[in-house]
Amino acid sequence: MTSVWDSVLGQDRAVDHLQHSVVNPVHAYLLVGPEGCGKEEAARALAGVLLAGNDDNSDRNNDMAVRGTHPDIHEVKREGASILKDQAEEVIKIASTTPKEGNRKAIIMHEVHLMQPSAAARLLKTVEEPPTGVFFVMLAEQVDESLVTIASRCMTIHFGPLDPAVIEHVLTSEGVKLDVAAVAAKSAHGSLTRGRLLAADKQLAHRREFFANIPRRIDGTGATVAAIVEQILSLIDDSVAPLQQRHEQEIVDTEKTLALMGVKRGGKKALEDKHKREIRRFRTDELRNGLTEVASVYRDELARNEHIHRPEGYVTAIHRLHEAMRRLGLNVNEAILLRDLIWSLPSPSADAALQFVLEGSHE
């Protein structure tokens, strides 16, 4: 017998907590972890087990839960930039209705870290004391101040970023070539979602090589710095293409769904806002990956060459690179940040030439 929990990869500790909890289930669960870590799959598996009373993957309840088609498992996703009070009211209505099958229902709420305080306040009583047979499974990337009260009413299960080996295994099992899967997994920051996007990105290896060569291109001239920055931004623009293609398909699918429901307008603006945020996050991750490659060049040079003329300059460069990675999360101007950063970096080629001259003068 295969288990419904088998759909949750690389999260053995979290799954073990959930398996023990369903013996005597609580009324509300909060699954916390980064995007693409497997908490969505875990939420559906948990909901299925709560309704089925077992974890048999062939059980009808579990099968429909994993596929997202169970009539008594309701998945709630924000309709705008955040979950508003009106949407919280809808959740309360869903909780109050009688299950269509059996005597239990589960409500999976996505991205509750983006729930407005007014919505959280409206939902609190229902989460704290839901109708008999109703279970809440909430998903969040982090627990901030606005979510603390809701979290206190839930059993919280933490999910970490996926190990690159897990992502690589999944990608190869899906037909991705081993070398491509390895590079994508390493750059995925523990997110299988991001790993799949990168695996479809044919320019990933080229970008990594480009960033690794940046220190060797630095020659102390503003023209070279400007050219490097322009090329970086062009490469990052190109890297977003697979994600934009997915977004275009989402818009088409949403419009079809709205048409079937007889809704002429609604949801498209919210979807576009969501897409903008996803693109911004993707660009930031790609830039951070690239700057990590640059930092590794200086780190390797320090380890390899004990005769570097000014090793403190390399240490400073590594610190500056990591500070730039941090600042990318503050919605800074990418071009200005990159220009100032690259202008400040030392040139290993120039240092090697200077070292050669100095050694020759001592002979």
Side-chain angles (χ1 to χ4, degrees):
M1 180 185 78
T2 58
S3 170
V4 70
W5 299 112
D6 293 342
S7 62
V8 188
L9 303 174
Q11 298 289 358
D12 294 348
R13 190 173 180 180
V15 168
D16 184 61
H17 282 310
L18 290 171
Q19 286 177 314
H20 282 88
S21 77
V22 295
V23 177
N24 292 297
V26 297
H27 59 278
Y29 294 82
L30 177 62
L31 313 188
V32 181
E35 175 265 348
C37 69
K39 64 182 185 293
E40 289 81 6
E41 290 81 0
R44 295 184 185 105
L46 172 60
V49 172
L50 289 171
L51 269 62
N54 64 71
D55 67 350
D56 184 351
N57 204 33
S58 64
D59 184 286
R60 177 175 174 275
N61 288 289
N62 286 325
D63 177 59
M64 288 193 296
V66 171
R67 290 190 288 112
T69 59
H70 198 294
D72 288 324
I73 298 177
H74 304 267
E75 296 204 30
V76 179
K77 299 181 180 180
R78 59 188 171 86
E79 297 172 349
S82 58
I83 298 173
L84 302 175
K85 186 177 178 180
D86 288 347
Q87 200 167 4
E89 296 282 1
E90 289 298 319
V91 172
I92 293 170
K93 289 180 182 178
I94 292 171
S96 67
T97 60
T98 304
K100 292 181 172 63
E101 300 182 7
N103 56 6
R104 287 183 170 185
K105 71 163 58 174
I107 300 173
I108 300 174
M109 293 189 66
H110 296 259
E111 296 183 297
V112 294
H113 57 283
L114 297 177
M115 184 158 50
Q116 288 292 313
S118 60
R122 183 67 185 91
L123 202 57
L124 181 60
K125 185 65 175 178
T126 303
V127 172
E128 189 174 29
E129 298 179 8
T132 302
V134 175
F135 297 91
F136 280 92
V137 183
M138 299 186 163
L139 309 179
E141 292 187 10
Q142 68 275 331
V143 179
D144 55 24
E145 187 176 344
S146 65
L147 200 57
V148 169
T149 306
I150 287 282
S152 69
R153 271 65 171 180
C154 304
M155 173 182 284
T156 301
I157 308 292
H158 290 278
F159 289 69
L162 289 174
D163 188 282
V166 173
I167 298 175
E168 181 179 336
H169 172 73
V170 173
L171 294 177
T172 54
S173 70
E174 293 175 351
V176 178
K177 292 181 179 179
L178 182 59
D179 57 338
V180 175
V183 174
K186 184 179 178 182
S187 302
H189 295 302
S191 168
L192 180 56
T193 304
R194 178 174 167 78
R196 286 178 171 132
L197 281 171
L198 292 172
D201 181 357
K202 297 179 181 179
Q203 296 299 314
L204 176 59
H206 172 63
R207 285 199 305 280
R208 289 172 63 91
E209 182 181 357
F210 173 86
F211 276 101
N213 282 326
I214 285 176
R216 299 176 181 87
R217 293 179 58 190
I218 293 172
D219 60 6
T221 68
T224 296
V225 170
I228 291 172
V229 171
E230 183 179 353
Q231 290 167 334
I232 289 174
L233 296 177
S234 176
L235 286 171
I236 298 301
D237 288 342
D238 291 342
S239 74
V240 177
L243 182 58
Q244 289 174 325
Q245 291 172 5
R246 193 186 78 183
H247 287 168
E248 290 170 1
Q249 187 58 51
E250 282 185 18
I251 290 173
V252 170
D253 293 343
T254 298
E255 289 176 342
K256 287 181 179 178
T257 301
L258 291 174
L260 289 172
M261 295 170 61
V263 178
K264 294 183 178 179
R265 295 190 305 171
K268 186 174 181 180
K269 175 63 166 59
L271 191 59
E272 289 173 348
D273 289 342
K274 172 176 173 285
H275 290 166
K276 288 177 183 178
R277 287 191 296 273
E278 288 182 352
I279 288 173
R280 177 65 189 177
R281 180 164 59 185
F282 190 92
R283 290 181 67 90
T284 297
D285 286 346
E286 276 305 292
L287 284 169
R288 283 175 173 159
N289 277 334
L291 296 183
T292 299
E293 288 290 329
V294 179
S296 69
V297 173
Y298 291 110
R299 191 175 293 109
D300 292 347
E301 194 69 19
L302 282 170
R304 182 184 65 82
N305 186 359
E306 61 182 22
H307 301 295
I308 295 175
H309 179 56
R310 290 181 60 254
E312 66 275 10
Y314 286 49
V315 174
T316 299
I318 293 169
H319 286 314
R320 285 174 175 165
L321 284 157
H322 283 281
E323 174 61 15
M325 292 181 219
R326 184 192 68 80
R327 289 183 59 208
L328 281 169
L330 304 177
N331 203 28
V332 296
N333 183 294
E334 294 171 347
I336 294 175
L337 181 144
L338 291 169
R339 183 198 64 197
D340 293 345
L341 172 66
I342 294 170
W343 181 258
S344 73
L345 298 178
S347 167
S349 300
D351 285 350
L354 178 59
Q355 181 181 331
F356 178 78
V357 171
L358 292 174
E359 289 175 351
S361 66
H362 291 151
E363 291 180 358

